[in-house]
Amino acid sequence: MTQEKRKIIILGSTGSIGTQALDIIDYHKDKFEVVAISGNKNYKLLNEQIQKFKPAYCAIADESLEKKLISDKTKVFSGDEGIIEMCRVCGADIAVCAIVGIAGLKSTIACIESKMTIALANKETLVAGGKLVTELAAEYNTPIYPVDSEHSAIFQCIQNESNRNGIKNIYLTASGGPFVDTPIEDMHKITVEQALKHPNWSMGAKITIDSATMMNKGLEVIEAKYLFNVESSMIKVCVHRKSIVHSMVEFKDNSILAQLGRPDMRIPIQYAIMYPERIDCPSEELDIFNTGSLEFERPDFDKFPSLKIAYRSLEEGRGRSLVINSANEEAVEAFLKGKIKYNKIYEIIESAYNTIESADEMDLSSILETDKRTRIFCREIMHKRRQ
Ligand code: NAD
Ligand code: MG
């Protein structure tokens, strides 16, 4: 008997995760049907994807580029609202949410409300609106499967836990990024080029900078809290430079389970969209005989204060993680454009954190309002400091 294909929407199909998700889908053509794709500005790649995957729908965030999409049988949408509308009408069973930043929040919510299974790469969605998003997912009875490699590892390690009571600690591994050995007094000299060179992973620009500042790991601590509903004190970060062990879970009997693999995002992407099935994957095998020793170190919280502030935001609650996320997005964008120095990224986040107020119970409009206030504040201080 032939199995029905899973209908899938890829939000952010032109990005690093989006293109790798399409790789997996292309490899398993018999299992998936791409019904919708979206991108921000890259209409050329969207046109190639339309040609190859023939989705019924395609959306581009930049409305001025809508006419550039060559669509014969594909219905085209544009603008933020166009993306949301596409989510609502496309009829997908699974959504790969791979837009970068809080820009992906509304479309993730639209997919949840359309009762799709969520394969979530867009961690900023949980950092900015974790409570709202997880509550909505519970209300609509839609599972959220992590795509982030660490969270996929944890998810894989707890498959046999009928409840979470047996978990003692979660060890989130971190490569440490390119500056793990850079002396703290040299951090101010870091250039955009240096920060964009990640030792193990090839990813989009924003997350690559987040990895260099270790804010990525801070965001992942917050992401883990919402995905696995554990106390923040149970989430520990450990530096593991080889990115072979993708994370570990320690249980109350002092047994530790880990998930290992090559640093290849196609493995966690496939796990999320095929869950719970395990089938072959186009990724390379991990050659355990040539892996060498596996080492774990404590992170340097003084050199990477982004970790400290992430934990602090979880302890304080009241939407504090949202402020970190918005300020980080603004600061990273400014750094990538050469407007601020590397070591100002953290200063801007801290200033916003200490100034911008946020509330505990947040609906979508108050999340977006706090996001806007934080961004305006960050732009103002960056502008003043340049003068
Ligand atoms: P990327 O920059 O390569 O791709 C981002 C995608 O989002 C692109 O398709 C882009 O067109 C789209 N996009 C950007 N701004 C948009 C907007 N305003 N409106 C609509 N679409 C917009 O980023 P990426 O590396 O693929 O990361 C995507 C998400 O996955 C991020 O949240 C990141 O943290 C997470 N993630 C990525 C990796 C990785 O290996 N790349 C690993 C773990 C988690
Ligand atoms: Mg990760």
Side-chain angles (χ1 to χ4, degrees):
M1 204 177 77
T2 49
Q3 249 186 334
E4 234 178 86
K5 289 186 181 182
R6 299 173 188 208
K7 292 194 172 93
I8 193 159
I9 172 172
I10 317 285
L11 290 159
S13 66
T14 56
S16 164
I17 293 291
T19 49
Q20 293 181 82
L22 286 172
D23 253 17
I24 293 290
I25 290 163
D26 194 35
Y27 189 76
H28 296 296
K29 288 186 191 70
D30 54 322
K31 301 209 180 303
F32 295 99
E33 177 190 346
V34 180
V35 293
I37 57 175
S38 84
N40 190 23
K41 290 177 189 292
N42 191 347
Y43 63 87
K44 284 191 183 146
L45 186 51
L46 284 175
N47 279 334
E48 284 172 29
Q49 294 175 344
I50 289 175
Q51 279 247 306
K52 182 162 181 180
F53 294 95
K54 305 191 173 21
Y57 305 93
C58 174
I60 188 155
D62 186 332
E63 292 179 44
S64 69
L65 298 172
E66 183 183 328
K67 296 261 174 314
K68 302 262 190 195
L69 292 175
I70 305 159
S71 57
D72 210 4
K73 293 191 178 130
T74 302
K75 186 169 163 47
V76 167
F77 293 85
S78 70
D80 292 345
E81 289 313 310
I83 296 178
I84 307 301
E85 201 188 331
M86 181 177 81
C87 295
R88 297 201 191 283
V89 300
C90 73
D93 310 307
I94 308 174
V96 175
C97 297
I99 289 176
V100 59
I102 198 172
L105 176 63
K106 284 208 270 183
S107 50
T108 302
I109 289 178
C111 292
I112 291 174
E113 289 173 346
S114 305
K115 291 185 172 284
M116 292 174 206
T117 293
I118 308 293
L120 188 72
N122 180 213
K123 64 192 85 182
E124 295 90 349
T125 274
L126 285 182
V127 177
K131 189 165 181 288
L132 173 70
V133 170
T134 49
E135 282 176 4
L136 278 174
E139 185 185 331
Y140 285 88
N141 206 13
T142 54
I144 300 180
Y145 299 138
V147 165
D148 214 348
S149 56
E150 297 77 1
H151 304 75
S152 174
I154 295 158
F155 184 55
Q156 294 181 53
C157 290
I158 60 173
Q159 284 306 300
N160 284 333
E161 305 308 304
S162 49
N163 58 48
R164 305 273 152 94
N165 294 341
I167 300 174
K168 186 151 108 184
N169 287 306
I170 283 175
Y171 288 98
L172 271 185
T173 53
S175 70
F179 309 123
V180 67
D181 291 323
T182 306
I184 198 163
E185 57 279 7
D186 290 344
M187 302 286 273
H188 68 281
K189 294 186 207 152
I190 291 166
T191 64
V192 174
E193 231 180 11
Q194 289 169 326
L196 280 175
K197 274 199 196 111
H198 194 278
N200 307 338
W201 298 93
S202 158
M203 311 177 284
K206 192 251 174 190
I207 182 174
T208 307
I209 302 301
D210 285 347
S211 301
T213 59
M214 285 198 79
M215 182 45 91
N216 183 49
K217 213 48 58 180
L219 301 179
E220 288 184 356
V221 168
I222 301 166
E223 182 186 13
K225 155 109 190 120
Y226 285 109
L227 282 173
F228 306 113
N229 193 21
V230 293
E231 293 296 321
S232 53
S233 59
M234 291 161 70
I235 307 168
K236 320 269 186 208
V237 172
C238 70
V239 174
H240 165 57
R241 296 172 186 231
K242 286 186 178 167
S243 301
I244 296 289
V245 174
H246 296 301
S247 276
M248 302 175 267
V249 179
E250 181 178 27
F251 296 95
K252 290 204 171 133
D253 61 359
N254 296 329
S255 182
I256 295 181
L257 294 189
Q259 185 257 342
L260 283 70
R262 286 181 57 82
D264 184 333
M265 286 306 295
R266 289 175 301 177
I267 301 173
I269 293 170
Q270 179 172 303
Y271 191 70
I273 63 177
M274 281 304 303
Y275 182 82
E277 248 183 281
R278 294 233 191 227
I279 51 172
D280 64 322
C281 182
S283 62
E284 246 181 272
E285 281 173 10
L286 172 67
D287 176 0
I288 54 157
F289 298 108
N290 280 310
T291 304
S293 58
L294 299 174
E295 278 147 8
F296 306 98
E297 304 156 56
R298 285 183 203 284
D300 183 338
F301 280 74
D302 293 324
K303 204 162 92 174
F304 297 107
S306 12
L307 287 173
K308 259 192 231 171
I309 206 165
Y311 278 105
R312 195 176 140 200
S313 76
L314 285 180
E315 275 151 33
E316 293 178 358
R318 297 181 287 107
R320 305 312 292 146
S321 307
L322 162 63
V323 174
I324 295 181
N325 183 64
S326 309
N328 181 55
E329 287 191 26
E330 281 297 318
V332 170
E333 196 186 329
F335 172 68
L336 281 168
K337 288 184 176 155
K339 292 184 180 168
I340 60 165
K341 292 225 156 39
Y342 171 92
N343 56 343
K344 297 288 166 206
I345 298 176
Y346 180 69
E347 274 181 41
I348 288 157
I349 296 168
E350 195 183 29
S351 302
Y353 192 90
N354 292 333
T355 313
I356 303 295
E357 289 187 3
S358 51
D360 201 6
E361 294 298 323
M362 284 212 271
D363 56 14
L364 182 59
S365 64
S366 48
I367 290 173
L368 297 177
E369 188 274 325
T370 307
D371 173 59
K372 198 168 163 191
R373 253 187 310 125
T374 309
R375 287 171 189 272
I376 292 171
F377 170 81
C378 292
R379 283 176 204 171
E380 276 171 7
I381 56 168
M382 286 191 277
H383 184 71
K384 272 189 205 140
R385 285 177 193 180
R386 274 201 301 276
Q387 285 179 335

